[in-house]
Amino acid sequence: MPYTETDCQRARRAFPSLSRTVNGRPIAYLDGPAGTQVPEAVIAAISGYYRTSNANLRGEFVTSRETDQLLADAREAGAAFLGAPSGREISFGANMTTLTFALSQALFREMKPGDEIVITQLDHEANRGPWLLLRERGIEVREVALRPDGTLDPEDFARQVTERTRLVAVGAASNLLGTVNDLALARRLATEAGAWLLVDAVHHAAHFPVDVQALDCDFLLCSAYKFYGPHVGLLYTRPGLLDRLRTDKLRTQDDEAPFRIETGTLNHAALAGVKAAIEFIASWGRGETLRERIVTAMDDIARHEHGIAAHYHDTVRQIPGVKVWGPDFSTPRRAPTVSITVDGVEPIDVARRLGEAGLQVWDGNFYAVRAVEVLGLAETGGVVRTGVCMYNTREEIDRLIEEIERLTP
Ligand SMILES: Cc1ncc(COP(=O)(O)O)c(C=O)c1O
């Protein structure tokens, strides 16, 4: 059952911020890859927690018990969202970057000088920087080449993974170009080397259902603020693996997974919002279980997003002076994120002019800084990125195209 135009209009009514105007025009949030808007159900869950249940964990009183239950429920919702066996495999943190740094410390303790980590040139710096820092401590870090068409070079991937590789750290989808990477290849190469596979699914999880068991990954990270939730990072770890890792932790902290990597007090109210965001997505799907509803909803919404992003891609590329970066939309394995450059106009000026018309798009490198360097765009301000999510419409894209046409010489 498709996610129709009517569904999209109904979804839009669930997001209070969509009713804003800018300079007399309706605001168009095309900045989703940097963080989506939040529906009323998520806002209500966060404020509801503060209204009734605000407490710390494991106390002998009602609000604390409710908070214990909330965290357990949020982990179960996270497990359903990622296809994990249970909430025991889901840890929370401030964001994906912070969790990746924590993980890098723990994995380093399992390595010896000369061991290797493979990263990619396409990845967001959050899945590069924590690993690159380990070079200071004797770990070799190798990077898989990005090709000019915006895809990773599979032959180079095979060359970079050696018998010394202990970790392959790769993104599922690019927040710069919308490329969806070949994770089956990454899994095969990691398995041959006896290495862990870590997947940065921050961009991917906002648009496609994730199945950690099908991916057979050891670690997978994502961030709820990219899928209609608050600023919280989620980490999936393969059952039994986190319990064995020596994480940075206090002696007072629980030794077991999923708590072992969670330092200090979590943002409980935000976790109420994470659970609500996942349930909000599921409310657009079908099936008996939460997991089934999430997967069907995301599949349907992905088709809506793909259609609108493909329309933008195929139209904007025909405007003289506009260059589109990254793969085309001939395959459904393409995230609905499209980056362009406009001859003679700097990305920052394009974004500013569009912003004045109420069209919110990002300019720059979005921390995919290595990819922007490799593509030769670092000196010229990067790209202008448009992201499409469940509340974006074809009409917004047509407005965007019209404004871009006005910008071109
Ligand atoms: C692909 C990708 N990975 C990682 C991150 C970092 O996520 P966080 O802000 O949760 O640290 C982002 C954020 O934009 C991203 O798009």
Side-chain angles (χ1 to χ4, degrees), residues 33 95-97 124 126 173 175 200 202-203 223 225-226:
N95 47 54
M96 177 275 182
T97 307
H124 187 285
N175 67 320
D200 169 3
V202 171
H203 194 64
S223 256
Y225 72 98
K226 311 284 189 178

Side-chain angles (χ1 to χ4, degrees), residues 109-270:
R109 292 195 178 98
E110 306 297 312
M111 297 187 195
K112 55 182 186 324
D115 280 355
E116 295 175 0
I117 293 174
V118 173
I119 61 174
T120 87
Q121 290 184 339
L122 182 56
D123 270 71
H124 187 285
E125 209 48 29
N127 196 25
R128 293 172 41 86
W131 313 116
L132 284 165
L133 269 182
L134 299 182
R135 277 180 171 163
E136 290 170 6
R137 299 200 253 166
I139 304 299
E140 299 286 326
V141 181
R142 303 164 66 110
E143 50 175 40
V144 179
L146 171 64
R147 298 186 290 196
D149 69 356
T151 61
L152 292 172
D153 182 340
E155 282 163 22
D156 191 51
F157 211 149
R159 268 194 302 276
Q160 298 306 333
V161 180
T162 75
E163 70 280 0
R164 307 184 82 161
T165 306
R166 299 295 311 281
L167 172 72
V168 174
V170 61
S174 162
N175 67 320
L176 176 77
L177 302 174
T179 317
V180 174
N181 292 325
D182 184 354
L183 294 183
L185 171 66
R187 176 67 272 174
R188 183 167 61 70
L189 294 171
T191 302
E192 281 165 17
W196 294 296
L197 174 64
L198 178 144
V199 177
D200 169 3
V202 171
H203 194 64
H204 195 271
H207 301 293
F208 305 105
V210 174
D211 186 339
V212 286
Q213 296 184 72
L215 291 174
D216 195 21
C217 54
D218 299 285
F219 308 98
L220 181 137
L221 297 112
C222 63
S223 256
Y225 72 98
K226 311 284 189 178
F227 55 85
Y228 319 111
H231 294 90
V232 172
L234 285 78
L235 165 68
Y236 158 83
T237 310
R238 187 190 285 285
L241 176 53
L242 187 58
D243 302 274
R244 299 202 302 273
L245 295 180
R246 285 167 290 164
T247 53
D248 284 342
K249 64 180 284 296
L250 307 177
R251 60 186 275 214
T252 44
Q253 205 175 319
D254 208 315
D255 266 336
E256 289 176 7
F259 317 106
R260 212 175 154 73
I261 199 163
E262 294 176 343
T263 43
T265 307
L266 293 171
N267 187 338
H268 301 157

